[in-house]
């Protein structure tokens, strides 16, 4: 069975991505980052999601708070409400997917995996540059050139199965694959016990997705 590294954040999209990777027959290895994010509950959600799908889960500790620069990694920047968002929002974490995919590539190389899954999406998303297809395509080539793949004449495949799906389509896909969305947490600003705020951009996007999919929203709100 071919191994794959799957980036799992604890959110709805990455849970669906993990289910999609499993359904394609991969021996999945979930990778999460304790990067100093504001909402610590998402790491617990990531662990629950991986356990629910019986997938080994590695949490890599890195400290993106060292330079901050995002509402998610700096106390000096507030999480904006959905209606405040324009351009690249304050919740963008500088080069986060570039960093995460680099770690995923390194782990994949050690595991002997050639496949990496990431739940990026450029339909219902927050406008982050590192979620776009041009970035994923360029990273694929970068991963090949920066690892033993280039000398051994193979390449990594970066799978982004949600890239072109609407949030409703993602929820329908995950529901079909048996994802328990009550385990996931999307909110940028949850309460201490992991309840979602219901006001931030990602809460709004997530709730609208359940409505559009015609599937009851299992999210616990404040
Ligand atoms: Zn929220």
């Amino acid at each position: 069975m071919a191994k794959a590294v799957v980036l799992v954040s604890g959110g709805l999209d990455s849970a669906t991505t993990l289910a999609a990777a499993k359904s394609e027959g991969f021996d999945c290895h979930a990778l999460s980052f304790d990067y100093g994010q504001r909402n610590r509950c998402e790491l617990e959600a990531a662990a629950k999601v991986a356990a629910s799908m019986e997938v080994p889960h590695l949490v890599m500790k890195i400290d993106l708070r060292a330079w901050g620069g995002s509402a998610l990694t700096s106390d000096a920047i507030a999480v904006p409400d959905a209606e405040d968002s324009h351009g690249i929002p304050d919740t963008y974490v500088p080069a986060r997917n570039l960093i995460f995919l680099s770690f995923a590539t390194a782990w994949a190389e050690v595991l002997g995996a050639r496949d990496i899954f990431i739940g990026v999406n450029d339909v219902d998303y927050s406008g982050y540059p590192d979620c776009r297809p041009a970035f994923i395509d360029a990273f694929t080539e970068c991963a090949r050139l920066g690892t033993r793949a280039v000398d051994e004449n193979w390449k990594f495949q970066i799978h982004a199965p949600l890239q072109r799906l609407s949030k409703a389509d993602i929820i329908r896909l995950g529901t079909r694959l048996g994802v328990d969305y009550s385990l996931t947490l999307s909110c940028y600003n949850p309460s201490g016990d992991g309840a979602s705020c219901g006001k931030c951009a990602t809460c709004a996007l997530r709730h609208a997705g359940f409505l559009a999919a015609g599937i009851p929203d299992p999210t616990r709100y404040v």
Side-chain angles (χ1 to χ4, degrees), residues 63-77:
D63 185 12
L64 299 186
R65 273 190 180 262
W67 47 70
S70 165
L72 303 191
T73 53
S74 170
D75 294 329
I77 304 173

Side-chain angles (χ1 to χ4, degrees), residues 62-123:
I62 52 176
D63 185 12
L64 299 186
R65 273 190 180 262
W67 47 70
S70 165
L72 303 191
T73 53
S74 170
D75 294 329
I77 304 173
V79 175
D81 286 345
E83 56 268 28
D84 295 341
S85 301
H86 52 85
I88 294 177
D90 287 345
T91 51
Y92 166 68
V93 178
R96 182 172 56 181
N97 284 342
L98 183 58
I99 295 166
F100 287 3
L101 278 174
S102 297
F103 276 92
T105 302
W107 195 25
E109 189 170 1
V110 173
L111 284 170
R114 296 184 180 188
D115 295 271
I116 296 165
F117 282 75
I118 181 167
V120 291
N121 173 267
D122 68 328
V123 182

Side-chain angles (χ1 to χ4, degrees), residues 27-45:
D27 172 16
C28 295
H29 293 66
L31 178 59
S32 302
F33 294 89
D34 179 354
Y35 63 90
Q37 59 268 60
R38 182 187 287 261
N39 46 338
R40 314 295 302 161
C41 308
E42 73 178 31
L43 285 171
E44 289 165 33

Side-chain angles (χ1 to χ4, degrees), residues 20 31 51 60 78 82 104 106 128 145 161 166 173 180-181 213:
L31 178 59
M60 175 71 61
Y128 303 155
L145 292 173
S166 69
L173 170 64
D180 179 354
Y181 286 121

Side-chain angles (χ1 to χ4, degrees), residues 187-189 197-200 203:
C187 183
Y188 286 143
N189 202 14
C197 77
K199 290 193 296 189
C200 70
C203 273

Side-chain angles (χ1 to χ4, degrees), residues 6-220:
V6 184
L7 291 169
V8 174
S9 69
L12 180 155
D13 290 349
S14 66
T16 308
T17 300
L18 179 57
K22 278 202 75 174
S23 76
E24 287 182 39
F26 284 101
D27 172 16
C28 295
H29 293 66
L31 178 59
S32 302
F33 294 89
D34 179 354
Y35 63 90
Q37 59 268 60
R38 182 187 287 261
N39 46 338
R40 314 295 302 161
C41 308
E42 73 178 31
L43 285 171
E44 289 165 33
K48 286 180 194 163
V49 165
S52 75
M53 298 190 208
E54 298 174 328
V55 166
H57 181 219
L58 177 67
V59 179
M60 175 71 61
K61 216 171 160 60
I62 52 176
D63 185 12
L64 299 186
R65 273 190 180 262
W67 47 70
S70 165
L72 303 191
T73 53
S74 170
D75 294 329
I77 304 173
V79 175
D81 286 345
E83 56 268 28
D84 295 341
S85 301
H86 52 85
I88 294 177
D90 287 345
T91 51
Y92 166 68
V93 178
R96 182 172 56 181
N97 284 342
L98 183 58
I99 295 166
F100 287 3
L101 278 174
S102 297
F103 276 92
T105 302
W107 195 25
E109 189 170 1
V110 173
L111 284 170
R114 296 184 180 188
D115 295 271
I116 296 165
F117 282 75
I118 181 167
V120 291
N121 173 267
D122 68 328
V123 182
D124 284 338
Y125 81 135
S126 301
Y128 303 155
D130 56 356
C131 289
R132 296 174 192 154
F135 163 66
I136 299 298
D137 289 348
F139 186 85
T140 301
E141 181 62 359
C142 187
R144 186 181 74 84
L145 292 173
T147 61
R148 72 182 71 212
V150 66
D151 283 0
E152 295 175 358
N153 210 20
W154 52 272
K155 62 180 183 177
F156 290 99
Q157 200 178 341
I158 313 295
H159 302 254
L162 312 185
Q163 188 78 72
R164 306 288 186 190
L165 302 183
S166 69
K167 193 62 88 183
D169 286 340
I170 292 168
I171 290 167
R172 285 193 199 98
L173 170 64
T175 301
R176 199 164 69 238
L177 296 174
V179 176
D180 179 354
Y181 286 121
S182 74
L183 302 179
T184 67
L185 178 72
S186 301
C187 183
Y188 286 143
N189 202 14
S191 67
D193 68 344
S196 296
C197 77
K199 290 193 296 189
C200 70
T202 183
C203 273
L205 211 54
R206 175 182 168 113
H207 186 64
F210 279 104
L211 282 181
I215 291 169
D217 181 357
T219 309
R220 189 164 55 88

